[in-house]
Amino acid sequence: MVFSDLDLSRQLERAEGLACLEFAKARSCLNPNSGACWTECAGTYAAFDGVDSPVTQSFGLGLFEPLTPASLDTIERFFLDRGAAVVHEVSPLAGIATLDLLCARGYRPIELSSVMHQAVDPPATKDENAITVRVAAPEEAALWTDVSARGWAHQNPELQDFLRDFGAVSFAREHSLQFIAELDGQPGAAGSLSLHGGVALFGGASTLPELRRRGLQAALLEARMRYAFEHGYRLAMMVAEAGSQSQRNAERKGFRIAYTRTKWRL
């Protein structure tokens, strides 16, 4: 049995933190003038991917070492020197002392998320049907990015350019794989999987509006679980807005809430 304790939180937060660092690394490789960079201080990973990027934040604050005013100064300066807001994803397992220091500094909570996990079990027998899922080949970067962006931007078409850019960097990130699901040979859904320290982190998956409710999301999840199991990963992770439909969907698929995490902003 996997318990929702400090050790689990460290494992999960480290996996997501590494995924964010590698996103910043990929951005830096694709665009050396972007200023994308990363640092580590007192066991905390901090990534900068631009002032408006959701990747620009820290992970693991107070979780691996006690948070001190001096170390918090250093982490804050990393963001402030680049003109970015100071944002931290903080596990409740970081403890009261960490939260007390943030409050004393004038931070405020801006988001709650459910960090979920489940064991990666042996894959079920693959059904033969009209849906196929595969890892996208390097030459399919544009295809994967297009499907992902169109799925996410259905309700907010003004975000298309941002999502395509974000998807291109995600595709180039190390230790991550991008999956495409097809229905009768037509690409209809896209999802990602990041692999770090024994944790398989399931990134958000999107489906084209015209192909929703056809089983593509379930097939994507199963295929990524199968890949993780076959490559020796035994712990799956997913993050969703607390109480959201995405959280409920994940729970229906067997994910359990490990803890509710708070995002703090200075």
Side-chain angles (χ1 to χ4, degrees), residues 3 5 14 23 37 62 67 98 137 147 157 170-171 198 227 232 234 237:
F3 292 99
D5 57 12
R14 185 59 88 218
F23 189 97
C37 58
L67 184 64
T98 296
V147 172
S170 295
F171 199 95
Y227 186 98
R234 295 296 178 262
M237 174 185 182

Side-chain angles (χ1 to χ4, degrees), residues 44-241:
T44 302
Y45 286 164
F48 174 78
D49 180 55
V51 295
D52 297 320
S53 172
V55 175
T56 298
Q57 59 181 311
S58 81
F59 285 90
L61 192 76
L63 202 59
F64 296 88
E65 297 181 22
L67 184 64
T68 66
S71 60
L72 189 53
D73 284 340
T74 299
I75 297 167
E76 289 175 352
R77 184 51 50 194
F78 171 79
F79 294 109
L80 295 173
D81 285 349
R82 292 163 177 81
V86 183
V87 179
H88 309 292
E89 292 276 13
V90 183
S91 164
L93 279 300
I96 293 298
T98 296
L99 302 182
D100 184 58
L101 181 53
L102 292 177
C103 291
R105 287 286 184 104
Y107 283 85
R108 62 184 182 88
I110 59 171
E111 184 178 298
L112 295 173
S113 56
S114 296
V115 178
M116 297 173 285
H117 70 99
Q118 70 165 296
V120 178
D121 294 322
T125 301
K126 187 176 180 180
D127 293 329
E128 294 296 330
N129 55 38
I131 298 176
T132 58
V133 183
R134 69 178 189 280
V135 176
E139 61 271 18
E140 293 180 307
L143 171 63
W144 184 88
T145 300
D146 178 67
V147 172
S148 179
R150 287 166 58 201
W152 283 114
H154 174 58
Q155 300 294 335
N156 302 100
E158 71 278 6
L159 297 178
Q160 277 273 4
D161 290 343
F162 167 79
L163 291 166
R164 289 181 187 279
D165 174 72
F166 200 84
V169 179
S170 295
F171 199 95
R173 180 172 51 184
E174 291 184 342
H175 302 112
S176 292
L177 299 116
Q178 318 309 323
F179 289 73
I180 295 176
E182 297 180 332
L183 179 64
D184 293 324
Q186 178 183 354
S192 64
L193 185 69
S194 297
L195 304 169
H196 297 283
V199 178
L201 172 59
F202 287 66
S206 68
T207 305
L208 298 181
E210 63 271 22
L211 292 178
R212 290 176 181 172
R213 301 186 182 279
R214 306 288 292 276
L216 290 167
Q217 283 290 323
L220 265 177
L221 180 63
E222 182 178 338
R224 288 180 289 171
M225 280 287 186
R226 181 180 296 109
Y227 186 98
F229 181 83
E230 291 175 350
H231 288 80
Y233 288 80
R234 295 296 178 262
L235 184 62
M237 174 185 182
M238 189 179 292
V239 181
E241 181 184 355

